[in-house]
C-alpha cells in the first residue's frame, strides 16, 4: 500500500510553467503532445501517458482526485465507489463536467492544498470519505487507514477535531486490528449483540484468527480476495480442524453477507451461541486462555 501511495503522488501531471522550468520550450511541449509523450488534459495541464484515467478525468474537470476514488487507488478499503470524487479548490472556475463520467465535487478544504496537481492530500481524502459514506462504511474505511498505517491515530484525532461534532463518535470506534472491511462489520455486529470478544487472537497450531467470542467461538471473515482457490480452502479446513482439537468451534460468514444486510449473520450467531454456549461453560473457556495457551 505504501508503494501504491508513492506511485499515486509521483509527478505525472504538470503545468506549462513546470515543463518550461524543466527545460522544455513551447515548441518541444507541442512536439511531445503530437508524439504522444505528453497528454494535454486541459488548459495549462499536461500528463504522462501512464497517468491513471481517474486522475486524468479529475484534472480535466478542473480539480484532483480525492475521497473514495483516491483511497481505492492506494488500497484502502472502501465498500462502494461508483463515482469519480474530485477535490475542487474553492474559487475554481471553468469546471468541465462530463456527462459520461458521474462525479462528486468536494469543495471543503481543511488546510492549504499541497503542490501536487492531480491528487488531494491523504488527510483531505479521508475527511471527505467520512462525509460521503454511511457511518458503518466510513468506520470500515477508517479502520483500514489505521491498520495499513496510512495515517496514525494522532493524525486521525487531529482530523476529527476539524470535522463537525456529529462525526466525532466514529473516532472512539476505530480499531486498527481490523485487517479487512468485513472484520469491521463483524465487530459492529458483535458489539450490538453485547457478547465478549477479542480480535486477532493467536492460537498455537492454528495461527491468528479474526475473532474469538466468549472464549470458544472462532469467527473468520472470509472474502473472495483472500480465500479463493482450492489450496486456500485446504489451508482453512486444516486450521478449523486444529482449532477444533483445542476445543473451539469455527464459523465462516462470507464477506458479501457482512457487507450487505447482515441480519441473517447476526441471527445465526445468536442461535449458535444460545445452543452451543452452555456446553462450553466448563469447556475451552476454562481450559484455555484467550491467547490459546493451555492453562492447566
Amino acid at each position: 500500500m505504501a508503494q501504491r501511495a508513492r506511485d499515486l503522488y509521483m509527478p505525472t501531471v504538470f503545468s506549462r510553467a513546470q515543463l518550461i522550468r524543466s527545460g522544455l520550450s513551447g515548441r518541444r511541449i507541442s512536439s511531445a503532445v503530437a508524439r504522444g509523450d505528453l497528454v494535454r488534459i486541459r488548459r495549462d495541464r499536461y500528463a504522462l501517458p501512464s497517468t491513471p484515467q481517474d486522475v486524468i478525468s479529475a484534472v480535466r474537470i478542473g480539480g484532483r482526485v480525492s475521497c473514495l476514488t483516491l483511497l481505492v487507488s492506494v488500497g484502502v478499503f472502501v465498500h462502494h465507489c461508483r463515482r469519480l470524487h474530485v477535490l475542487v479548490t474553492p474559487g475554481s472556475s471553468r469546471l468541465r463536467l462530463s456527462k459520461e463520467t458521474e462525479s462528486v465535487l468536494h469543495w471543503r478544504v481543511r488546510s492549504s492544498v499541497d503542490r501536487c496537481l492531480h491528487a488531494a492530500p491523504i488527510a483531505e481524502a479521508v475527511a471527505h470519505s467520512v462525509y460521503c459514506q454511511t457511518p458503518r462504511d466510513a468506520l470500515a474505511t477508517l479502520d483500514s487507514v489505521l491498520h495499513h498505517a496510512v495515517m496514525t491515530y494522532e493524525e486521525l484525532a487531529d482530523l476529527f477535531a476539524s470535522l463537525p461534532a456529529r462525526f466525532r463518535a466514529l473516532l472512539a470506534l476505530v480499531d486498527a486490528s481490523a485487517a479487512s472491511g468485513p472484520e469491521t462489520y463483524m465487530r459492529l455486529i458483535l458489539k450490538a449483540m453485547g457478547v465478549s470478544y477479542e480480535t486477532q487472537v493467536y492460537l498455537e497450531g492454528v495461527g491468528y484468527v479474526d475473532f474469538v467470542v466468549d472464549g470458544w467461538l472462532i469467527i473468520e471473515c472470509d472474502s473472495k480476495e483472500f480465500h479463493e482457490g482450492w489450496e486456500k480452502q485446504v489451508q482453512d479446513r486444516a486450521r478449523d480442524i486444529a482449532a477444533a482439537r483445542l476445543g473451539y468451534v469455527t464459523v465462516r460468514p462470507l464477506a458479501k453477507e457482512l457487507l450487505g444486510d447482515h441480519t441473517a449473520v447476526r441471527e445465526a450467531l445468536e442461535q449458535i451461541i444460545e445452543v452451543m454456549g452452555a456446553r462450553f461453560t466448563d469447556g475451552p473457556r476454562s481450559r484455555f486462555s484467550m491467547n490459546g495457551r493451555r492453562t492447566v
Side-chain angles (χ1 to χ4, degrees):
M1 186 174 293
Q3 184 59 51
R4 291 174 68 171
R6 285 192 292 270
D7 291 344
L8 178 67
Y9 286 100
M10 286 289 290
T12 59
V13 176
F14 313 93
S15 67
R16 185 178 180 84
Q18 287 175 326
L19 293 174
I20 289 176
R21 283 198 298 270
S22 71
L24 295 180
S25 64
R27 179 174 295 181
R28 292 180 65 186
I29 292 173
S30 298
S31 297
V33 171
R35 291 193 307 271
D37 295 335
L38 283 176
V39 178
R40 186 177 186 276
I41 305 176
R42 59 176 285 148
R43 184 177 180 273
D44 197 36
R45 289 294 183 269
Y46 300 83
L48 298 178
S50 59
T51 303
Q53 185 56 50
D54 282 346
V55 170
I56 289 178
S57 297
V59 175
R60 182 173 288 125
I61 287 173
R64 60 196 80 191
V65 290
S66 186
C67 194
L68 307 184
T69 303
L70 186 149
L71 296 176
V72 168
S73 296
V74 301
V76 170
F77 175 83
V78 170
H79 188 190
H80 293 299
C81 182
R82 300 188 179 95
R83 296 184 290 176
L84 176 68
H85 291 255
V86 184
L87 170 63
V88 181
T89 305
S92 298
S93 59
R94 297 182 181 180
L95 300 181
R96 296 181 179 179
L97 298 177
S98 170
K99 295 181 180 179
E100 290 74 27
T101 303
E102 190 176 1
S103 55
V104 179
L105 301 184
H106 295 273
W107 296 87
R108 295 183 179 90
V109 179
R110 298 173 52 256
S111 59
S112 59
V113 178
D114 61 20
R115 291 177 292 177
C116 180
L117 297 179
H118 64 276
I122 284 285
E124 294 289 347
V126 173
H128 295 159
S129 75
V130 175
Y131 286 98
C132 270
Q133 299 184 96
T134 65
R136 193 171 75 128
D137 292 344
L139 184 60
T141 294
L142 294 169
D143 281 356
S144 182
V145 165
L146 207 58
H147 178 80
H148 293 290
V150 175
M151 295 178 68
T152 65
Y153 184 84
E154 290 71 24
E155 290 169 334
L156 276 181
D158 180 63
L159 182 153
F160 270 86
S162 68
L163 296 179
R166 67 181 186 274
F167 293 122
R168 293 175 191 168
L170 286 174
L171 185 62
L173 296 174
V174 174
D175 187 340
S177 71
S180 68
E183 290 181 35
T184 298
Y185 296 104
M186 176 53 70
R187 187 176 80 247
L188 293 177
I189 292 172
L190 296 175
K191 279 184 175 292
M193 290 172 59
V195 296
S196 63
Y197 66 90
E198 284 195 318
T199 63
Q200 298 302 319
V201 180
Y202 181 79
L203 303 178
E204 289 188 3
V206 180
Y208 284 96
V209 297
D210 295 336
F211 296 91
V212 173
V213 179
D214 286 347
W216 62 269
L217 177 62
I218 292 174
I219 301 177
E220 296 276 48
C221 302
D222 290 355
S223 64
K224 184 177 180 180
E225 181 181 5
F226 297 110
H227 296 267
E228 190 174 28
W230 179 244
E231 182 178 349
K232 183 58 183 173
Q233 295 296 323
V234 170
Q235 293 175 2
D236 288 342
R237 284 164 171 74
R239 280 164 52 88
D240 292 349
I241 291 174
R245 285 173 172 165
L246 295 177
Y248 291 87
V249 174
T250 301
V251 296
R252 293 179 173 273
L254 298 177
K256 66 178 182 179
E257 297 172 330
L258 296 172
L259 300 181
D261 181 2
H262 57 270
T263 303
V265 174
R266 175 169 176 170
E267 289 177 350
L269 291 176
E270 289 173 340
Q271 291 170 2
I272 291 169
I273 292 172
E274 181 180 1
V275 172
M276 303 287 290
R279 304 182 186 183
F280 287 91
T281 301
D282 298 318
R285 194 161 27 187
S286 61
R287 292 187 290 110
F288 296 92
S289 66
M290 288 302 290
N291 65 3
R293 299 180 185 274
R294 187 181 291 271
T295 55
V296 179

